[in-house]
PDB file of all heavy atoms in Angstrom:
ATOM      1  N   GLN A   8     -19.031  -0.932   5.467  1.00 85.00           N
ATOM      2  CA  GLN A   8     -19.886   0.056   4.811  1.00 85.00           C
ATOM      3  C   GLN A   8     -21.312  -0.002   5.360  1.00 85.00           C
ATOM      4  O   GLN A   8     -21.993   1.014   5.416  1.00 85.00           O
ATOM      5  CB  GLN A   8     -19.901  -0.160   3.297  1.00 85.00           C
ATOM      6  CG  GLN A   8     -18.612   0.176   2.615  1.00 85.00           C
ATOM      7  CD  GLN A   8     -18.237   1.641   2.762  1.00 85.00           C
ATOM      8  OE1 GLN A   8     -19.094   2.512   2.706  1.00 85.00           O
ATOM      9  NE2 GLN A   8     -16.959   1.890   2.940  1.00 85.00           N
ATOM     10  N   THR A   9     -21.745  -1.180   5.756  1.00 85.00           N
ATOM     11  CA  THR A   9     -23.087  -1.283   6.334  1.00 85.00           C
ATOM     12  C   THR A   9     -23.112  -0.848   7.793  1.00 85.00           C
ATOM     13  O   THR A   9     -24.158  -0.448   8.294  1.00 85.00           O
ATOM     14  CB  THR A   9     -23.621  -2.721   6.232  1.00 85.00           C
ATOM     15  OG1 THR A   9     -22.741  -3.595   6.920  1.00 85.00           O
ATOM     16  CG2 THR A   9     -23.749  -3.144   4.781  1.00 85.00           C
ATOM     17  N   LEU A  10     -21.982  -0.909   8.481  1.00 85.00           N
ATOM     18  CA  LEU A  10     -21.903  -0.499   9.877  1.00 85.00           C
ATOM     19  C   LEU A  10     -21.444   0.948  10.038  1.00 85.00           C
ATOM     20  O   LEU A  10     -21.177   1.383  11.147  1.00 85.00           O
ATOM     21  CB  LEU A  10     -20.938  -1.410  10.640  1.00 85.00           C
ATOM     22  CG  LEU A  10     -21.298  -2.890  10.708  1.00 85.00           C
ATOM     23  CD1 LEU A  10     -20.204  -3.664  11.403  1.00 85.00           C
ATOM     24  CD2 LEU A  10     -22.626  -3.075  11.412  1.00 85.00           C
ATOM     25  N   ALA A  11     -21.355   1.679   8.954  1.00 81.00           N
ATOM     26  CA  ALA A  11     -20.852   3.052   8.990  1.00 81.00           C
ATOM     27  C   ALA A  11     -21.793   3.955   9.787  1.00 81.00           C
ATOM     28  O   ALA A  11     -23.012   3.873   9.662  1.00 81.00           O
ATOM     29  CB  ALA A  11     -20.685   3.592   7.589  1.00 81.00           C
ATOM     30  N   ILE A  12     -21.186   4.804  10.604  1.00 83.00           N
ATOM     31  CA  ILE A  12     -21.932   5.776  11.383  1.00 83.00           C
ATOM     32  C   ILE A  12     -21.675   7.140  10.767  1.00 83.00           C
ATOM     33  O   ILE A  12     -20.526   7.587  10.710  1.00 83.00           O
ATOM     34  CB  ILE A  12     -21.503   5.752  12.861  1.00 83.00           C
ATOM     35  CG1 ILE A  12     -21.773   4.375  13.450  1.00 83.00           C
ATOM     36  CG2 ILE A  12     -22.205   6.847  13.648  1.00 83.00           C
ATOM     37  CD1 ILE A  12     -21.210   4.164  14.821  1.00 83.00           C
ATOM     38  N   ALA A  13     -22.718   7.794  10.295  1.00 80.00           N
ATOM     39  CA  ALA A  13     -22.628   9.088   9.614  1.00 80.00           C
ATOM     40  C   ALA A  13     -21.709   8.975   8.402  1.00 80.00           C
ATOM     41  O   ALA A  13     -20.895   9.854   8.142  1.00 80.00           O
ATOM     42  CB  ALA A  13     -22.158  10.183  10.558  1.00 80.00           C
ATOM     43  N   SER A  14     -21.816   7.872   7.695  1.00 79.00           N
ATOM     44  CA  SER A  14     -21.013   7.542   6.505  1.00 79.00           C
ATOM     45  C   SER A  14     -19.517   7.544   6.781  1.00 79.00           C
ATOM     46  O   SER A  14     -18.714   7.821   5.899  1.00 79.00           O
ATOM     47  CB  SER A  14     -21.354   8.457   5.331  1.00 79.00           C
ATOM     48  OG  SER A  14     -20.841   9.754   5.544  1.00 79.00           O
ATOM     49  N   ILE A  15     -19.132   7.242   8.007  1.00 80.00           N
ATOM     50  CA  ILE A  15     -17.720   7.132   8.374  1.00 80.00           C
ATOM     51  C   ILE A  15     -17.432   5.669   8.692  1.00 80.00           C
ATOM     52  O   ILE A  15     -18.078   5.073   9.551  1.00 80.00           O
ATOM     53  CB  ILE A  15     -17.387   8.008   9.589  1.00 80.00           C
ATOM     54  CG1 ILE A  15     -17.634   9.468   9.267  1.00 80.00           C
ATOM     55  CG2 ILE A  15     -15.950   7.790  10.024  1.00 80.00           C
ATOM     56  CD1 ILE A  15     -17.522  10.378  10.452  1.00 80.00           C
ATOM     57  N   SER A  16     -16.466   5.107   7.982  1.00 84.00           N
ATOM     58  CA  SER A  16     -16.077   3.720   8.221  1.00 84.00           C
ATOM     59  C   SER A  16     -14.555   3.628   8.216  1.00 84.00           C
ATOM     60  O   SER A  16     -13.884   4.455   7.598  1.00 84.00           O
ATOM     61  CB  SER A  16     -16.679   2.802   7.159  1.00 84.00           C
ATOM     62  OG  SER A  16     -16.196   3.160   5.893  1.00 84.00           O
ATOM     63  N   PRO A  17     -13.995   2.636   8.884  1.00 86.00           N
ATOM     64  CA  PRO A  17     -12.537   2.522   8.932  1.00 86.00           C
ATOM     65  C   PRO A  17     -11.955   2.122   7.580  1.00 86.00           C
ATOM     66  O   PRO A  17     -12.559   1.384   6.811  1.00 86.00           O
ATOM     67  CB  PRO A  17     -12.293   1.434   9.975  1.00 86.00           C
ATOM     68  CG  PRO A  17     -13.544   0.664  10.040  1.00 86.00           C
ATOM     69  CD  PRO A  17     -14.644   1.606   9.678  1.00 86.00           C
ATOM     70  N   ASN A  18     -10.769   2.625   7.309  1.00 89.00           N
ATOM     71  CA  ASN A  18     -10.052   2.304   6.083  1.00 89.00           C
ATOM     72  C   ASN A  18      -9.005   1.236   6.430  1.00 89.00           C
ATOM     73  O   ASN A  18      -7.900   1.559   6.852  1.00 89.00           O
ATOM     74  CB  ASN A  18      -9.398   3.568   5.523  1.00 89.00           C
ATOM     75  CG  ASN A  18      -8.860   3.375   4.140  1.00 89.00           C
ATOM     76  OD1 ASN A  18      -8.727   2.252   3.673  1.00 89.00           O
ATOM     77  ND2 ASN A  18      -8.540   4.465   3.489  1.00 89.00           N
ATOM     78  N   LEU A  19      -9.376  -0.003   6.272  1.00 93.00           N
ATOM     79  CA  LEU A  19      -8.492  -1.100   6.667  1.00 93.00           C
ATOM     80  C   LEU A  19      -7.253  -1.201   5.795  1.00 93.00           C
ATOM     81  O   LEU A  19      -6.201  -1.659   6.258  1.00 93.00           O
ATOM     82  CB  LEU A  19      -9.252  -2.423   6.635  1.00 93.00           C
ATOM     83  CG  LEU A  19     -10.360  -2.585   7.669  1.00 93.00           C
ATOM     84  CD1 LEU A  19     -11.022  -3.934   7.499  1.00 93.00           C
ATOM     85  CD2 LEU A  19      -9.824  -2.433   9.063  1.00 93.00           C
ATOM     86  N   LEU A  20      -7.333  -0.777   4.552  1.00 94.00           N
ATOM     87  CA  LEU A  20      -6.162  -0.864   3.684  1.00 94.00           C
ATOM     88  C   LEU A  20      -5.083   0.134   4.096  1.00 94.00           C
ATOM     89  O   LEU A  20      -3.896  -0.135   3.934  1.00 94.00           O
ATOM     90  CB  LEU A  20      -6.574  -0.673   2.226  1.00 94.00           C
ATOM     91  CG  LEU A  20      -7.443  -1.795   1.680  1.00 94.00           C
ATOM     92  CD1 LEU A  20      -7.801  -1.537   0.232  1.00 94.00           C
ATOM     93  CD2 LEU A  20      -6.751  -3.132   1.807  1.00 94.00           C
ATOM     94  N   ILE A  21      -5.485   1.276   4.655  1.00 94.00           N
ATOM     95  CA  ILE A  21      -4.493   2.206   5.222  1.00 94.00           C
ATOM     96  C   ILE A  21      -3.836   1.561   6.433  1.00 94.00           C
ATOM     97  O   ILE A  21      -2.625   1.668   6.619  1.00 94.00           O
ATOM     98  CB  ILE A  21      -5.160   3.536   5.617  1.00 94.00           C
ATOM     99  CG1 ILE A  21      -5.520   4.339   4.402  1.00 94.00           C
ATOM    100  CG2 ILE A  21      -4.273   4.363   6.536  1.00 94.00           C
ATOM    101  CD1 ILE A  21      -4.370   5.043   3.738  1.00 94.00           C
ATOM    102  N   VAL A  22      -4.626   0.883   7.247  1.00 94.00           N
ATOM    103  CA  VAL A  22      -4.084   0.219   8.430  1.00 94.00           C
ATOM    104  C   VAL A  22      -3.085  -0.860   8.021  1.00 94.00           C
ATOM    105  O   VAL A  22      -1.993  -0.964   8.584  1.00 94.00           O
ATOM    106  CB  VAL A  22      -5.220  -0.379   9.293  1.00 94.00           C
ATOM    107  CG1 VAL A  22      -4.667  -1.199  10.432  1.00 94.00           C
ATOM    108  CG2 VAL A  22      -6.123   0.717   9.809  1.00 94.00           C
ATOM    109  N   VAL A  23      -3.425  -1.647   7.012  1.00 95.00           N
ATOM    110  CA  VAL A  23      -2.532  -2.706   6.538  1.00 95.00           C
ATOM    111  C   VAL A  23      -1.249  -2.108   5.961  1.00 95.00           C
ATOM    112  O   VAL A  23      -0.146  -2.553   6.270  1.00 95.00           O
ATOM    113  CB  VAL A  23      -3.243  -3.593   5.491  1.00 95.00           C
ATOM    114  CG1 VAL A  23      -2.270  -4.514   4.787  1.00 95.00           C
ATOM    115  CG2 VAL A  23      -4.328  -4.406   6.149  1.00 95.00           C
ATOM    116  N   THR A  24      -1.393  -1.076   5.144  1.00 95.00           N
ATOM    117  CA  THR A  24      -0.229  -0.451   4.518  1.00 95.00           C
ATOM    118  C   THR A  24       0.688   0.165   5.562  1.00 95.00           C
ATOM    119  O   THR A  24       1.908  -0.030   5.521  1.00 95.00           O
ATOM    120  CB  THR A  24      -0.677   0.623   3.511  1.00 95.00           C
ATOM    121  OG1 THR A  24      -1.505   0.011   2.537  1.00 95.00           O
ATOM    122  CG2 THR A  24       0.502   1.272   2.843  1.00 95.00           C
ATOM    123  N   ALA A  25       0.111   0.912   6.495  1.00 94.00           N
ATOM    124  CA  ALA A  25       0.923   1.545   7.533  1.00 94.00           C
ATOM    125  C   ALA A  25       1.572   0.499   8.437  1.00 94.00           C
ATOM    126  O   ALA A  25       2.742   0.624   8.802  1.00 94.00           O
ATOM    127  CB  ALA A  25       0.071   2.505   8.357  1.00 94.00           C
ATOM    128  N   ALA A  26       0.828  -0.538   8.788  1.00 93.00           N
ATOM    129  CA  ALA A  26       1.376  -1.567   9.672  1.00 93.00           C
ATOM    130  C   ALA A  26       2.539  -2.307   9.026  1.00 93.00           C
ATOM    131  O   ALA A  26       3.582  -2.515   9.662  1.00 93.00           O
ATOM    132  CB  ALA A  26       0.277  -2.553  10.067  1.00 93.00           C
ATOM    133  N   PHE A  27       2.391  -2.691   7.774  1.00 94.00           N
ATOM    134  CA  PHE A  27       3.501  -3.371   7.100  1.00 94.00           C
ATOM    135  C   PHE A  27       4.669  -2.421   6.901  1.00 94.00           C
ATOM    136  O   PHE A  27       5.819  -2.842   6.916  1.00 94.00           O
ATOM    137  CB  PHE A  27       3.055  -3.962   5.765  1.00 94.00           C
ATOM    138  CG  PHE A  27       2.431  -5.311   5.892  1.00 94.00           C
ATOM    139  CD1 PHE A  27       1.063  -5.462   5.927  1.00 94.00           C
ATOM    140  CD2 PHE A  27       3.224  -6.433   5.983  1.00 94.00           C
ATOM    141  CE1 PHE A  27       0.495  -6.704   6.052  1.00 94.00           C
ATOM    142  CE2 PHE A  27       2.662  -7.692   6.106  1.00 94.00           C
ATOM    143  CZ  PHE A  27       1.289  -7.833   6.146  1.00 94.00           C
ATOM    144  N   GLY A  28       4.383  -1.148   6.709  1.00 93.00           N
ATOM    145  CA  GLY A  28       5.457  -0.179   6.533  1.00 93.00           C
ATOM    146  C   GLY A  28       6.305  -0.036   7.776  1.00 93.00           C
ATOM    147  O   GLY A  28       7.532  -0.138   7.714  1.00 93.00           O
ATOM    148  N   PHE A  29       5.684   0.203   8.933  1.00 90.00           N
ATOM    149  CA  PHE A  29       6.515   0.419  10.122  1.00 90.00           C
ATOM    150  C   PHE A  29       6.963  -0.860  10.792  1.00 90.00           C
ATOM    151  O   PHE A  29       7.864  -0.833  11.601  1.00 90.00           O
ATOM    152  CB  PHE A  29       5.861   1.389  11.122  1.00 90.00           C
ATOM    153  CG  PHE A  29       4.582   0.933  11.745  1.00 90.00           C
ATOM    154  CD1 PHE A  29       4.557  -0.046  12.706  1.00 90.00           C
ATOM    155  CD2 PHE A  29       3.398   1.530  11.386  1.00 90.00           C
ATOM    156  CE1 PHE A  29       3.378  -0.443  13.281  1.00 90.00           C
ATOM    157  CE2 PHE A  29       2.210   1.148  11.956  1.00 90.00           C
ATOM    158  CZ  PHE A  29       2.202   0.158  12.904  1.00 90.00           C
ATOM    159  N   MET A  30       6.393  -1.996  10.451  1.00 90.00           N
ATOM    160  CA  MET A  30       6.883  -3.248  11.027  1.00 90.00           C
ATOM    161  C   MET A  30       7.965  -3.895  10.181  1.00 90.00           C
ATOM    162  O   MET A  30       8.878  -4.522  10.717  1.00 90.00           O
ATOM    163  CB  MET A  30       5.731  -4.244  11.223  1.00 90.00           C
ATOM    164  CG  MET A  30       4.850  -3.888  12.380  1.00 90.00           C
ATOM    165  SD  MET A  30       3.687  -5.167  12.894  1.00 90.00           S
ATOM    166  CE  MET A  30       2.977  -5.718  11.397  1.00 90.00           C
ATOM    167  N   ARG A  31       7.882  -3.748   8.847  1.00 91.00           N
ATOM    168  CA  ARG A  31       8.836  -4.444   7.976  1.00 91.00           C
ATOM    169  C   ARG A  31       9.725  -3.543   7.158  1.00 91.00           C
ATOM    170  O   ARG A  31      10.595  -4.021   6.444  1.00 91.00           O
ATOM    171  CB  ARG A  31       8.066  -5.376   7.045  1.00 91.00           C
ATOM    172  CG  ARG A  31       7.407  -6.509   7.794  1.00 91.00           C
ATOM    173  CD  ARG A  31       6.938  -7.549   6.847  1.00 91.00           C
ATOM    174  NE  ARG A  31       6.271  -8.629   7.547  1.00 91.00           N
ATOM    175  CZ  ARG A  31       5.547  -9.530   6.962  1.00 91.00           C
ATOM    176  NH1 ARG A  31       5.373  -9.495   5.658  1.00 91.00           N
ATOM    177  NH2 ARG A  31       4.983 -10.484   7.657  1.00 91.00           N
TER     178      ARG A  31
END
């Protein structure tokens, strides 16, 4: 949130959810 550029930051929980979904 502090490194956000133009109030855009990565959503790590989507990455975790998607990664566990297609890997497991």
